[in-house]
Amino acid sequence: MTSTRIPTEYGDFQLCFYTNTLDNKEHLAFFMGDIAHAGSVLVRVHSECFTGDVLGSRRCDCGEQLDRSMAMVANAGVGVVLYMRQEGRGIGLLDKLRAYNLQDQGYDTVDANLMLGHEADERDYSLAALILEDLGVDSVRLITNNPAKISALEAEGITVSERVSLAVAANTDNAGYLLTKAQRMDHFLPIKPVIKSVSS
């Protein structure tokens, strides 16, 4: 692991660079404060989203979630944001773009992934748990709307003492995507289901 200070608009973070032999990808951890002795550390496990995080795409809520998570950690003074290289829920950038084209044809994000031969969500959180353990964190207040993420970390031995909500406002480009996450992936999102009227 290599670590360095990264000053941001939210304050100074330490950025840790991790390599591994399990998925041969390079993962990152941003942290602030004495996390090893904090107990129930505020943590966001964020999956890479080039289109949202870097380009500011409105098709998802990823970039805003990353920004808000960093702000929440900075406000707390102690916490971690893991940046896991699991683009497109683990299917990679190329197939994510192909999935976007299918979504433009009317399929939702789950069906688009399935049509490309993938699972709805192929992410793995075992490496995230190992990084947290390396940082001395075994109990977290997890910033997430995804119940599967909570279960996955707990299965890896990380205690999730609290779920911290991270809902963002929907826009015209991502409303359908957020609705799919709420309805088909059981995310904790305040999205009202679409009710279609039936004519007599």
Side-chain angles (χ1 to χ4, degrees), residues 158-193:
I158 301 297
T159 298
V160 180
S161 61
E162 179 186 355
R163 182 187 74 86
V164 180
S165 178
L166 188 60
V168 300
N171 62 58
T172 55
D173 294 298
N174 70 14
Y177 166 78
L178 296 177
L179 184 63
T180 298
K181 288 208 295 185
Q183 292 185 330
R184 298 195 64 185
M185 306 184 79
D186 298 323
H187 284 217
F188 301 112
L189 290 171
I191 304 294
K192 294 182 179 180

Side-chain angles (χ1 to χ4, degrees), residues 115-173:
M115 291 172 69
L116 291 170
H118 296 287
E119 297 177 19
D121 191 337
E122 296 187 352
R123 290 175 293 182
D124 181 280
Y125 296 101
S126 57
L127 286 172
L130 289 173
I131 292 173
L132 289 172
E133 290 171 5
D134 185 71
L135 294 171
V137 175
D138 59 9
S139 177
V140 303
R141 292 184 295 124
L142 190 64
I143 304 172
T144 188
N145 303 318
N146 184 357
K149 190 178 296 185
I150 297 171
S151 300
L153 287 179
E154 288 182 331
E156 296 294 334
I158 301 297
T159 298
V160 180
S161 61
E162 179 186 355
R163 182 187 74 86
V164 180
S165 178
L166 188 60
V168 300
N171 62 58
T172 55
D173 294 298

Side-chain angles (χ1 to χ4, degrees), residues 47-153:
S47 296
E48 175 184 33
C49 176
F50 174 77
T51 51
D53 299 339
V54 178
L55 301 180
S57 170
R58 290 166 50 89
R59 297 188 74 134
C60 63
D61 53 350
C62 302
E64 191 171 354
Q65 285 189 330
L66 178 60
D67 288 341
R68 287 195 182 187
S69 296
M70 292 182 68
M72 290 166 72
V73 167
N75 186 59
V78 180
V80 183
V81 176
L82 298 186
Y83 196 81
M84 308 302 296
R85 309 303 292 272
Q86 302 189 103
E87 180 75 53
R89 293 202 194 94
I91 71 173
L93 182 58
L94 176 59
D95 270 356
K96 185 172 93 168
L97 300 183
R98 290 170 173 156
Y100 278 170
N101 286 335
L102 289 171
Q103 290 170 43
D104 284 343
Q105 296 173 32
Y107 300 98
D108 67 26
T109 181
V110 171
D111 286 336
N113 280 18
L114 296 175
M115 291 172 69
L116 291 170
H118 296 287
E119 297 177 19
D121 191 337
E122 296 187 352
R123 290 175 293 182
D124 181 280
Y125 296 101
S126 57
L127 286 172
L130 289 173
I131 292 173
L132 289 172
E133 290 171 5
D134 185 71
L135 294 171
V137 175
D138 59 9
S139 177
V140 303
R141 292 184 295 124
L142 190 64
I143 304 172
T144 188
N145 303 318
N146 184 357
K149 190 178 296 185
I150 297 171
S151 300
L153 287 179

